[in-house]
Amino acid sequence: GILGGFIGYQHFWRDKLRSTITASILDFDSPTGADLLSYAGGERYSANLFFTPTAGVTLGLEAIYNSIEVVNGQKGDGTRIEFVGRFDF
C-alpha cells in the first residue's frame, strides 16, 4: 500500500511579502520482486520567501530538504537553495 501526507501554510508578512512552509511524507510498499533500488519512501520539507515589488515582478528564495529510502534500506538526503524570478509581460 501507499501512505502519504502533505501539509502547507502560507503567511502574508506584508502586501508584497509572503512565505510558505510545507512538509510531506510518503511510504510505499514495493511489490514482491521489486528492484532493490526502487523507491520505498521519503520526506520533503520546504520554506520560501517571495517578494513582489511591483505588478508583474516576483522574486523568491526557497530552501528544500529531501530524504529518500529505497527497497534495500539505503537512505539518502539532500538540501538545495533555489532563487526564482518571475516577470510577467
Side-chain angles (χ1 to χ4, degrees):
I2 299 172
L3 177 63
F6 174 89
I7 190 167
Y9 172 74
Q10 185 173 52
H11 181 78
F12 288 84
W13 301 99
R14 297 176 186 254
D15 289 343
K16 299 179 180 189
L17 191 65
R18 69 185 186 279
S19 293
T20 303
I21 58 171
T22 66
S24 63
I25 187 168
L26 179 65
D27 184 44
F28 180 75
D29 292 332
S30 298
T32 302
D35 186 287
L36 294 179
L37 296 179
S38 295
Y39 183 80
E43 300 174 15
R44 181 184 188 275
Y45 305 95
S46 68
N48 62 40
L49 183 65
F50 283 92
F51 176 57
T52 305
T54 186
V57 177
T58 301
L59 305 172
L61 187 64
E62 183 169 41
I64 302 167
Y65 170 79
N66 287 299
S67 68
I68 66 164
E69 183 174 356
V70 294
V71 171
N72 72 5
Q74 289 181 319
K75 297 178 181 180
D77 65 351
T79 303
R80 68 181 184 257
I81 305 290
E82 298 178 345
F83 174 76
V84 176
R86 177 178 165 172
F87 305 92
D88 298 326
F89 298 97

